[in-house]
Amino acid sequence: MRYRAAFFDLDGTIADSAPGILGSMQYALGRFGLHPTKEQLRKYLGPPLQLMFADFLPPEQVAEGVRIYREYYGGGGLFDAEIYEGIPEALRRLKEAGVAVCLATAKPRDTALRVLDHFELTRWFALVGGTDEAAGVMDKTAVIRKNMRDGGFAPEDCLMVGDRRDDLLGARAAGVDGLGVLYGYGSREELESHPHIALADSPLAVMEFVLHAED
């Protein structure tokens, strides 16, 4: 088996989190008198929150926007999501096959843990990686690198699975292979235009790739 570890993104890869995320974005921006539609905000699903707020607010207000968003989202919006069909089976079968299933999300780690716990997925994960401002882990590349350090994985043993260009670019910067998923928030055009080893159209297709990829 080629990969010892599979790093999964959360939003758009494990869970369709759009309702809670978009609603929380609208709430936070509304506090500044801004009222974009959910369709206008969909392109920000996946990348770090700071990038979205930077497009709408002056630099000195970005941190406050992120704080308001996280307070509102943490109050319940994070559970306004659905797990993609096939994810529980894919995670279970990967773990049973000896693959270290790890999370690699741009969400704060504590928030990501709450989501996994709520949807009863935590048991399948060997590591839960997320951003941690206090530790200087601020983006997808840093999360992937921390997962590798914490798990003792070499870059060639790891695969990053995600639905947006940030996942693929983060994987490339960390020296690991990237697999794009077509059922999330990124388009085929977006994923095909960034470094990837393969594309998969379902969670079970991801599982099959991981289990049968050859050296």
Side-chain angles (χ1 to χ4, degrees):
M1 191 158 50
R2 177 172 178 177
Y3 299 109
R4 290 180 55 212
F7 299 166
F8 281 79
D9 176 46
L10 180 55
D11 301 320
T13 302
I14 288 175
D16 180 1
S17 314
I21 294 174
L22 295 174
S24 299
M25 287 177 174
Q26 287 184 312
Y27 173 82
L29 290 170
R31 293 277 295 271
F32 296 92
L34 302 172
H35 303 284
T37 66
K38 288 184 177 179
E39 280 307 307
Q40 289 173 317
L41 293 172
R42 285 192 68 85
K43 66 180 180 179
Y44 297 107
L45 291 168
L49 278 174
Q50 288 83 354
L51 299 180
M52 184 277 289
F53 283 107
D55 281 352
F56 287 93
L57 301 174
E60 65 272 15
Q61 293 182 332
V62 169
E64 178 65 4
V66 172
R67 186 197 66 77
I68 293 170
Y69 169 95
R70 287 180 174 165
E71 182 178 84
Y72 185 82
Y73 184 72
L78 73 169
F79 303 134
D80 189 4
E82 292 186 6
I83 302 303
Y84 288 111
E85 182 178 356
I87 279 291
E89 180 183 355
L91 299 180
R92 175 183 61 80
R93 289 176 63 182
L94 286 171
K95 181 176 181 178
E96 290 175 349
V99 177
V101 177
C102 306
L103 194 73
T105 177
K107 268 183 166 54
R109 183 178 183 276
D110 290 346
T111 302
L113 268 172
R114 290 180 64 195
V115 175
L116 295 182
D117 287 345
H118 178 79
F119 290 105
E120 300 182 345
L121 296 176
T122 311
R123 57 183 166 164
W124 305 122
F125 287 85
L127 288 171
V128 176
T131 53
D132 182 345
E133 293 183 12
V137 181
M138 301 292 290
D139 59 20
K140 188 59 62 87
T141 303
V143 172
I144 294 171
R145 287 174 173 160
K146 187 174 189 304
N147 276 359
M148 287 193 290
R149 291 195 303 271
D150 291 348
F153 306 122
E156 60 269 22
D157 295 330
C158 302
L159 177 71
M160 178 67 213
V161 181
D163 67 307
R164 298 301 308 270
R165 64 181 182 181
D166 301 81
D167 300 302
L168 300 179
L169 291 173
R172 170 61 64 88
V176 309
D177 288 342
L179 184 150
V181 303
L182 297 168
Y183 57 83
Y185 304 137
S187 66
R188 178 182 287 274
E189 180 182 18
E190 175 183 333
L191 296 172
E192 286 183 340
S193 63
H194 291 86
H196 62 279
I197 192 168
L199 300 178
D201 60 8
S202 72
L204 294 181
V206 172
M207 178 200 71
E208 291 292 338
F209 179 85
V210 176
L211 293 180
H212 299 112
E214 299 180 355
D215 292 330

